[in-house]
Amino acid sequence: MIRGHACMQKEAALIMSRFTPIQTNGATSKLKRSLKKSHLKLDEAPRFLQVLANSPASLRAYIRADAALLRGQLTPRQREQVALAVAEINGSSYSLSAQYDNGKSLGLTHHEMQLARNATAADTKAETMLRFTQAVVLQRGEISDDDFQALRKAGFTDGQIIEIVANIALNIFCNYFNSVAKMEVDFPLLQPGTEVPRAGSRSIKDPARHAENRGAKTAHG
């Protein structure tokens, strides 16, 4: 049984977003240049990015941070496991739905993603990472020495530990922004605390994620 956050969101699909999505025809020239560099077409992007585009600076910051961490020391699977754990803890339906969809494209099984949402894994090293992630989110960074040293004992380097925290922070931003925005879910809806996406929910493909996954295979082997 998935243990979700006590304050789970209402079904996002039934809530009107507080922001109007921006598509290519409404983007500024500066934003269009940023999108061109990231090989992202805004009118085909997930609603999260379309809404975030109301602030070109925020969109650029997110795209650049995500791209930098993609080229970092954590594998795409590790990053996805962290994202799933953070979204479950924060009760973010949109983020959880998007990450579940992305996890499938990375080859994570339904069982592996269920485990990640509960901050656990079949692999001992991955479980240590997820327990640390859980502690950081729930304790707002005020972790114990034992929590920290567990990562070192599991074989994580200082650089990898820093990147775990960076990925946690980026995902918390996404979770909080989606909650504030009351983002309409444009992936198969997966609610925190439930085991499978809701049947019949609509989904759109995320070209940025597909490009990210192709790049991840090159960067991480």
Side-chain angles (χ1 to χ4, degrees):
M1 176 67 70
I2 297 292
R3 297 185 298 276
H5 191 279
C7 298
M8 294 195 310
Q9 295 178 330
K10 296 179 181 179
E11 288 193 5
L14 301 179
I15 300 175
M16 294 296 292
S17 176
R18 287 171 169 157
F19 299 105
T20 301
I22 300 294
Q23 296 191 338
T24 304
N25 59 2
T28 64
S29 58
K30 185 182 293 186
L31 178 55
K32 287 179 180 178
R33 287 196 296 271
S34 296
L35 294 170
K36 186 175 181 180
K37 290 179 182 178
S38 66
H39 306 289
L40 175 65
K41 294 182 179 179
L42 196 57
D43 55 355
E44 297 176 357
R47 187 166 296 269
F48 160 70
L49 294 179
Q50 293 179 352
V51 172
L52 193 60
N54 280 282
S55 167
S58 298
L59 179 62
R60 289 195 300 272
Y62 172 78
I63 290 174
R64 290 172 181 175
D66 190 52
L69 290 172
L70 172 64
R71 297 189 294 270
Q73 300 176 45
L74 298 183
T75 68
R77 289 172 65 90
Q78 287 173 324
R79 293 188 67 216
E80 191 59 39
Q81 287 171 309
V82 168
L84 286 162
V86 175
E88 184 71 35
I89 293 168
N90 286 329
S92 175
S93 296
Y94 186 96
S95 295
L96 189 59
S97 302
Q99 296 303 338
Y100 185 88
D101 194 68
N102 191 52
K104 290 191 297 181
S105 70
L106 288 172
L108 285 168
T109 67
H110 173 71
H111 179 62
E112 287 174 321
M113 289 191 280
Q114 278 187 299
L115 291 177
R117 292 169 61 192
N118 278 314
T120 187
D123 175 70
T124 303
K125 185 173 183 178
E127 179 162 333
T128 302
M129 174 188 70
L130 291 168
R131 292 298 186 193
F132 175 81
T133 296
Q134 184 182 58
V136 169
V137 178
L138 292 177
Q139 295 160 209
R140 290 175 287 186
E142 296 295 332
I143 59 168
S144 68
D145 288 339
D146 288 342
D147 290 329
F148 184 81
Q149 291 303 327
L151 282 178
R152 285 242 174 93
K153 291 177 182 176
F156 286 97
T157 65
D158 286 357
Q160 289 172 325
I161 294 172
I162 292 169
E163 285 188 22
I164 292 170
V165 178
N167 276 280
I168 291 170
L170 186 62
N171 279 285
I172 288 176
F173 164 71
C174 294
N175 296 171
Y176 285 8
F177 176 69
N178 288 325
S179 295
V180 168
K182 292 190 179 294
M183 199 72 67
E184 179 186 352
V185 179
D186 49 0
F187 297 90
L189 179 62
L190 179 61
Q191 292 278 29
T194 62
E195 293 191 3
V196 294
R198 190 180 67 187
S201 299
R202 62 193 179 92
S203 173
I204 63 172
K205 292 187 180 296
D206 180 350
R209 283 295 185 185
H210 289 307
E212 174 181 302
N213 294 339
R214 288 195 297 273
K217 293 178 183 177
T218 301
H220 299 283

